[in-house]
Amino acid sequence: MRVGVVGLGIMGAPMARNLLRAGHRVVVHTRTPGPRLDAVVAAGATAVGSPGDVAAAVEAVVTVLPDSPDVERVVTGPEGVLAGGRPGLLAVDMSTIAPAVARRLAGVAAERGVTFLDAPVSGGEQGAVAGTLSIMVGGDAEGFRRAAPIFAALGTQAVHLGGPGQGQMTKLVNQVVGAVTLAAVAEGTLLARRAGLDPEAWVRAVGAGAAASWMLTEQAPRMQRRDFTPGFMVRLQQKDLRLALHAARELGVPLPATALVHELFAAVEAAGGGALGTQALLTALERLAAAGDA
Amino acid sequence: MRVGVVGLGIMGAPMARNLLRAGHRVVVHTRTPGPRLDAVVAAGATAVGSPGDVAAAVEAVVTVLPDSPDVERVVTGPEGVLAGGRPGLLAVDMSTIAPAVARRLAGVAAERGVTFLDAPVSGGEQGAVAGTLSIMVGGDAEGFRRAAPIFAALGTQAVHLGGPGQGQMTKLVNQVVGAVTLAAVAEGTLLARRAGLDPEAWVRAVGAGAAASWMLTEQAPRMQRRDFTPGFMVRLQQKDLRLALHAARELGVPLPATALVHELFAAVEAAGGGALGTQALLTALERLAAAGDA
């Protein structure tokens, strides 16, 4: 299949390589040429000058961009995907953006005969590199079937959640559940440390029962050895929580724990930790504890 | 081994049966005779008139009681375990109580030549019935080794976390992590429902990544079918969170998310839901949402 990739950041670049590895012909565009683009071209991709040029050359375009305005520009802009693409094109946006924007773009695309899917992912950079992403898809069922070879190259699971925007909505649910679960682990970790519990033993004991989670197994050890290198950066988490809180507000859903965690992450950002991994949430609690000591 | 069990409630009764099943000779006492006691006696246990009588007849006494004052009374009271037990007795408290009380009881017991272990469990009634509890043990290392045959009959894992009180402290960490993880799932579940996501599909999609947890897999489906029957009751969760928040305060550890969840559970209790399962946390969020609609 001829597949385009627009956006070659921390996620898009390894995804392009996995599409090449699966045997697809890959055409790419990025606003920021550099080593990531060079590596993808060296692996066999063709670079072109605009998202529209990508769309003109392929059957399906994958966009992997930071936020809603980026995707709007790349899809509907003057040199964008819809300007360059023919009717019948499949546009698969794998960025995390507002569900309302995804719904609007699906409508605009449909007017041009283009099928737009929202297909955000979880699994982070590691998942993008290993091709083990979990892909949450909203949009047309026939489009979901057509995108199957793309999803197979990028992830271990693609679930069709409903119509336009429902993939993004599921991603926001994912971010809510993940962020608050991380807070659970951060509070437990600080309590365990102040109580003098063995770092390995308490995680093993707690991880055997109803408090078990991916966050406990993966992030409590990192917190305990003060390894705050990013798998997933605090400021990207904050972007996603803003989207989630906004969508929830529109739906009349209160998310008090999510809002609290959003504030705790704001404290991490205020202390200069926006580029740290989300496990640095621990440091916000530590600062509260230190303030209490004063 | 001759083993005593004091307290034949929802946890103690099945634990006594599992000790019998493992071939131990079991002597029991309960303040509230009734069908649970009758069933345990029918299964082969001997009932006696006081905790002291239990202690006089066995090598090790297991206590499984609701709260700190109950354990203090049963261990140090006039007809209690220390009054009846000989030096060399092993006292294993498997209740969830304050770490400070466990430490104090270990000291008092040691003065009488009795080894006291704090060994709270997670896994709930199901785990007690199936013999698959996770057991978190604080106290003397030699006592931990002597208790091995008891733990083997009751659980799949017993971890020695350190000196007196550290088993209880680990249990409190477990309750903190579990309760806040449950809140993560409750907020995600309400958002998913209001967004119209398929109840099975979103749990599958979210459960494949970094937001995965035991609570998501087990409790989101119950919340979605409004099954609030207790595995673990709200009012017992509240007792444990009170103990955790108190211990954390003494250690100078702030637990803002845990405190929020404690308040949300207080709303469930205020609405008459204290005897529901903890997954009824969802109903507190629903009431906030309804208030917002007004």
Side-chain angles (χ1 to χ4, degrees), chain A residues 88-223:
Chain A
L89 180 72
L90 183 62
V92 184
D93 178 40
M94 304 187 77
S95 323
T96 296
I97 66 171
V101 172
R103 280 192 293 272
R104 201 172 64 68
L105 290 175
V108 173
E111 288 168 14
R112 309 287 197 97
V114 171
T115 301
F116 179 96
L117 300 177
D118 50 296
V121 301
S122 83
E125 185 183 3
Q126 292 159 296
V129 171
T132 57
L133 296 168
S134 172
I135 307 168
M136 297 161 254
V137 189
D140 179 66
E142 171 60 18
F144 177 70
R145 277 188 290 275
R146 283 170 59 201
I150 296 172
F151 296 150
L154 302 178
T156 43
Q157 171 175 283
V159 180
H160 187 218
L161 280 310
Q166 296 297 64
Q168 294 296 349
M169 196 57 85
T170 304
K171 176 67 188 282
L172 297 186
V173 170
N174 187 78
Q175 298 309 76
V176 161
V177 176
V180 179
T181 302
L182 183 70
V185 171
E187 293 199 352
T189 298
L190 187 59
L191 180 57
R193 189 173 72 210
R194 293 285 179 109
L197 293 172
D198 179 80
E200 186 275 329
W202 80 261
V203 172
R204 186 155 44 93
V206 171
S213 65
W214 185 96
M215 290 292 179
L216 177 67
T217 307
E218 296 292 323
Q219 298 289 38
R222 284 196 188 93
M223 289 179 190

Side-chain angles (χ1 to χ4, degrees), chain B residues 22-79:
Chain B
H24 298 293
R25 288 162 56 193
V26 177
V27 179
V28 299
H29 171 74
T30 174
R31 280 216 295 185
T32 51
R36 280 211 189 92
L37 174 62
D38 297 344
V40 170
V41 169
T46 304
V48 297
S50 74
D53 291 345
V54 172
V58 299
E59 297 155 73
V61 182
V62 171
T63 46
V64 196
L65 298 160
D67 205 348
S68 305
D70 308 292
V71 177
E72 290 187 295
R73 181 179 45 74
V74 161
V75 173
T76 64
E79 296 194 303

Side-chain angles (χ1 to χ4, degrees), chain A residues 134 157 166 169-170 174 177 180-181 184 187 194-195 197 204-206 208 210 212-215 253-258 260 289, chain B residues 134 157 161 166 169-170 174 177 180-181 184 187 194-195 197 204-206 208 210 212-215 253-258 260 289:
Chain A
S134 172
Q157 171 175 283
Q166 296 297 64
M169 196 57 85
T170 304
N174 187 78
V177 176
V180 179
T181 302
E187 293 199 352
R194 293 285 179 109
L197 293 172
R204 186 155 44 93
V206 171
S213 65
W214 185 96
M215 290 292 179
V253 176
L255 299 177
T258 304
L260 171 62
Chain B
S134 172
Q157 172 176 283
L161 279 310
Q166 296 298 64
M169 196 57 85
T170 303
N174 186 79
V177 176
V180 179
T181 302
E187 293 200 352
R194 292 285 180 110
L197 293 172
R204 187 155 44 93
V206 172
S213 66
W214 185 96
M215 290 292 179
V253 176
L255 299 177
T258 304
L260 171 62

Side-chain angles (χ1 to χ4, degrees), chain B residues 19 50 59 74 85 107 143-144 146 162 215 223 257 272 276:
Chain B
L19 287 165
S50 74
E59 297 155 73
V74 161
F144 177 70
R146 283 169 59 202
M215 290 292 179
M223 288 178 189
L276 297 178

